[in-house]
Amino acid sequence: MPPHPSLFLKRQTYQEIGLFNLNFKSAADYELILRACLVYQKKLIYQPGVFVKMRAGGMSNSSFKNRLKANKEDALAWTINGLKPPAFLRLIKPLRKISQFIRIGKQPNENTP
């Protein structure tokens, strides 16, 4: 799954595949990328370099409870697109996020010099 903050799509692609599904609270970006890559078979091109720098976290990763809710939405994103996720994806994805919870607690306060 490409990182959504640095994924750029042409207007023509949005016109073909549609926009974000706003019925999702935290997985609209994930669902759009699934739809583009797996349903419409859009080819991605990797461009090395840093385009976006952001802090760890976000709505779906602000707590373990939110991560579990997001995991359910991720599964729904596969289902509504008629796709079947790889085995163990629902288990692996939240486990990969554990390190973010550890780093979030160690980030300096933005008000601290």
Side-chain angles (χ1 to χ4, degrees):
M1 181 60 59
H4 67 87
S6 59
L7 179 72
F8 297 93
L9 300 174
K10 293 180 180 180
R11 178 189 308 224
Q12 175 184 344
T13 300
Y14 285 109
Q15 290 169 337
E16 182 182 345
I17 72 169
L19 302 175
F20 289 96
N21 182 340
L22 300 180
N23 292 318
F24 287 97
K25 291 183 179 9
S26 67
D29 51 356
Y30 184 76
E31 187 278 328
L32 179 78
I33 295 169
L34 283 176
R35 190 170 2 120
C37 295
L38 300 180
V39 176
Y40 286 87
Q41 302 283 309
K42 294 298 177 184
K43 185 178 178 181
L44 298 180
I45 299 170
Y46 175 73
Q47 179 68 41
V50 176
F51 296 96
V52 176
K53 185 175 180 180
M54 56 189 273
R55 292 185 175 160
M59 184 172 78
S60 63
N61 294 322
S62 62
S63 71
F64 195 69
K65 182 179 176 182
N66 282 2
R67 184 60 250 159
L68 293 176
K69 286 180 186 178
N71 199 29
K72 288 180 183 178
E73 280 201 3
D74 293 349
L76 182 59
W78 286 85
T79 302
I80 69 166
N81 283 295
L83 300 168
K84 184 174 179 176
F88 302 109
L89 180 67
R90 288 196 65 195
L91 177 64
I92 293 169
K93 192 171 179 192
L95 290 175
R96 285 185 30 227
K97 304 286 184 172
I98 289 174
S99 66
Q100 287 186 15
F101 294 115
I102 295 165
R103 283 183 289 192
I104 289 170
K106 292 183 179 181
Q107 284 186 351
N109 184 322
E110 66 183 51
N111 297 325
T112 305

